[in-house]
Amino acid sequence: RPARAALAATPFRRQRRGPSLERSILARMLVQALAGALLAVIPVTLPAGDGKSVAASWHAAPDASEVARAPVIVLIADAGKTRDDWKKLAKELNGAGLSVLAIDARSLAKSDAYGVGVADVAAALKWLGARKDVNTERVLVGGAGQGAMVALAAAASDVSDVPIAGLALVSPSLDANRLDDKTALADYGKRPFFVAVSRGDKRSSMSALVLEGNAQGPKKIHISEGSRKGAELVTNDAGSLAAFVAWAKQAGGLETPD
């Protein structure tokens, strides 16, 4: 009988440990769910200066807080594209310690010297300036295609009380009738400057050479093989993606230059 009692008690002890194990698993699942929620992409509507609104997505760095304010980069989509094109790059930048605000580019008339886009960047900077988890001294601006030229125009004109600390241009395409790049880069001054193009994208490659010659501050020109362009270049080309993230970490103050 004592032996039978011992055998009977064994399953009972295991059953008593069961709920504790289940609680532990549930706790881990809750922590993972909370972490996922914190890293979730948050849709944002930015009020533009002309009474309209700009659609944006906020990708917060995982450690960003009021105590540890994170550097941020505003990413501007190319014409006909959306902010969703930046998702992969935003994830990599988040992992490197930067927050990301990706905005859609509104359609620009050919007669408009990127004024509408510049106003949208100003709205983005104003929104960032009100956040307590943002290092407003380390706000970068970047764009692809037409969005790259909007970024350059905004950076050159200092459109906000929040200063632009660095500029990243992906597949830029110069148009002298809409923006004088030499004057724009002179106004931008000696702040950090990054350009990514592919060798097969002839127009952007030529634009990169012109921009490199006119840039006054620290510059990094990354030229990849192939013919990818726009956000696709820095999301599907590993070398371009790594170069962009490495530059952003330095310009954002997370790493010291070599």
Side-chain angles (χ1 to χ4, degrees):
R1 288 181 181 178
R4 290 179 181 178
L7 288 173
T10 301
F12 177 71
R13 286 196 299 270
R14 288 177 179 172
Q15 289 173 2
R16 282 171 44 182
R17 289 197 300 269
S20 177
L21 179 60
E22 289 176 2
R23 285 194 297 270
S24 176
I25 293 172
L26 288 173
R28 286 198 297 270
M29 291 174 65
L30 179 60
V31 169
Q32 291 171 354
L34 288 173
L38 290 173
L39 293 174
V41 179
I42 300 173
V44 177
T45 301
L46 305 173
D50 57 3
K52 297 184 179 180
S53 60
V54 182
S57 297
W58 175 241
H59 307 250
D63 296 328
S65 68
E66 291 185 28
V67 177
R69 298 187 175 199
V72 181
I73 183 165
V74 178
L75 295 176
I76 309 159
D78 193 1
K81 302 293 185 179
T82 74
R83 62 195 185 280
D84 289 340
D85 292 344
W86 297 114
K87 281 184 176 180
K88 183 176 179 180
L89 176 61
K91 183 178 180 181
E92 294 296 323
L93 290 167
N94 282 169
L98 290 93
S99 294
V100 176
L101 181 63
I103 67 175
D104 283 346
R106 290 191 287 166
S107 297
L108 305 178
K110 289 186 177 181
S111 59
D112 177 43
Y114 305 114
V116 171
V118 169
D120 294 348
V121 174
L125 295 175
K126 182 178 180 180
W127 186 84
L128 290 172
R131 293 190 63 89
K132 295 182 178 180
D133 59 350
V134 168
N135 181 349
T136 53
E137 295 181 357
R138 292 290 185 174
V139 175
L140 317 175
V141 173
Q146 184 171 277
M149 305 316 298
V150 169
L152 174 57
S157 57
D158 287 326
V159 295
S160 169
D161 292 336
V162 177
I164 294 174
L167 177 64
L169 309 181
V170 180
S171 303
S173 183
L174 296 179
D175 183 345
N177 294 323
R178 301 179 72 177
L179 180 68
D180 181 344
D181 63 281
K182 188 172 183 178
T183 300
L185 285 172
D187 291 338
Y188 179 67
K190 297 184 177 181
R191 287 170 282 179
F193 178 75
F194 173 81
V195 179
V197 297
S198 64
R199 204 174 301 279
D201 181 4
K202 300 299 184 183
R203 185 169 182 178
S204 292
S205 295
M206 291 299 297
S207 295
L209 292 175
V210 174
L211 290 166
E212 182 181 22
N214 291 330
Q216 298 182 5
K219 52 196 172 186
K220 169 67 177 177
I221 311 297
H222 180 82
I223 303 176
S224 69
E225 299 300 327
S227 57
R228 289 190 175 100
K229 62 176 65 177
E232 181 187 1
L233 176 62
V234 289
T235 54
N236 294 331
D237 180 77
S240 299
L241 174 61
F244 192 114
V245 173
W247 174 85
K249 288 176 70 175
Q250 289 188 359
L254 298 173
E255 280 189 357
T256 55
D258 297 333

